Amino acid sequence: MANYLLDDVFTVQKLDPDGKKFDRANSLIMCFLVSRIEASSSDQQQFFMQLDVNTDIYKLNVGDKFNMVLAATLNLDGTPDSGYFTQPQGGRQSLADKFDYVMHGKLYKISDVSGPSGPKVEMLFSFGGLLMLLQGDTSDAKKLELDQRLFLLMKKV
């Protein structure tokens, strides 16, 4: 069974809270729509998230609930991957088959911040230029490490 680094259910609170930052991410190869969502966890931990989402392939609205998982590998048995994505052969499934939206990226900054409810951790991730800010209790982030490569997986609930 896959070992999750983080697993929680979030509710979308706002779309593009500071206005539309990216009308289109332009390059010669790709052109896609991006929205920044703000969401709060609603189940196990108490997290706040800002996440850039490619809305051409995964549409979210205010009030939508989604399960978000961070995992170090897509292998269902939890074994490390090679760092390269290969399409599963012979009917073999991966963790990605259980989710609607998957991104691969890196945790590039971890900071301790104080809040009214005690010490918190703030983590910044990059998924090929799409960014995520995740704030929560320091104990909930104990499995995450700086420069760690990981997968973000999402599905609506």
Side-chain angles (χ1 to χ4, degrees):
M1 189 68 186
N3 189 15
Y4 300 152
L5 302 171
L6 190 124
D7 181 7
D8 210 341
V9 174
F10 287 81
T11 302
V12 178
Q13 307 294 325
K14 296 179 185 175
L15 287 174
D16 299 313
D18 298 324
K20 196 77 167 163
K21 294 289 186 195
F22 323 96
D23 284 332
R24 290 205 176 262
N26 290 311
S27 78
L28 296 175
I29 300 170
M30 291 190 280
C31 190
F32 53 89
L33 294 173
V34 175
S35 280
R36 179 163 287 167
I37 65 164
E38 281 189 2
S40 298
S41 65
S42 53
D43 286 344
Q44 298 94 351
Q45 297 94 2
Q46 192 56 36
F47 282 107
F48 168 78
M49 169 199 294
Q50 283 187 336
L51 175 66
D52 296 338
V53 177
N54 180 337
T55 54
D56 279 344
I57 58 175
Y58 196 66
K59 184 79 172 148
L60 288 168
N61 297 302
V62 172
D64 284 351
K65 289 187 179 213
F66 61 92
N67 177 223
M68 192 274 294
V69 166
L70 294 177
T73 180
L74 292 178
N75 296 327
L76 289 174
D77 61 2
T79 58
D81 60 31
S82 65
Y84 299 98
F85 177 76
T86 54
Q87 201 67 270
Q89 302 293 319
R92 192 187 86 200
Q93 293 194 332
S94 77
L95 187 58
D97 296 321
K98 298 179 178 192
F99 292 85
D100 302 322
Y101 186 71
V102 180
M103 295 191 292
H104 182 257
K106 183 178 183 178
L107 172 57
Y108 70 91
K109 185 176 181 182
I110 301 175
S111 305
D112 291 325
V113 294
S114 296
S117 58
K120 299 268 185 205
V121 65
E122 182 175 277
M123 298 169 284
L124 297 173
F125 302 80
S126 178
F127 301 97
L130 299 180
L131 303 177
M132 178 172 74
L133 163 75
L134 193 61
Q135 295 173 331
D137 191 294
T138 55
S139 64
D140 295 325
K142 61 184 172 246
K143 294 181 182 178
L144 298 167
E145 299 173 6
L146 189 62
D147 291 330
Q148 183 175 22
R149 297 205 175 273
L150 43 81
F151 295 90
L152 177 142
L153 304 104
M154 293 170 53
K155 68 179 172 183
K156 292 181 183 175
V157 293

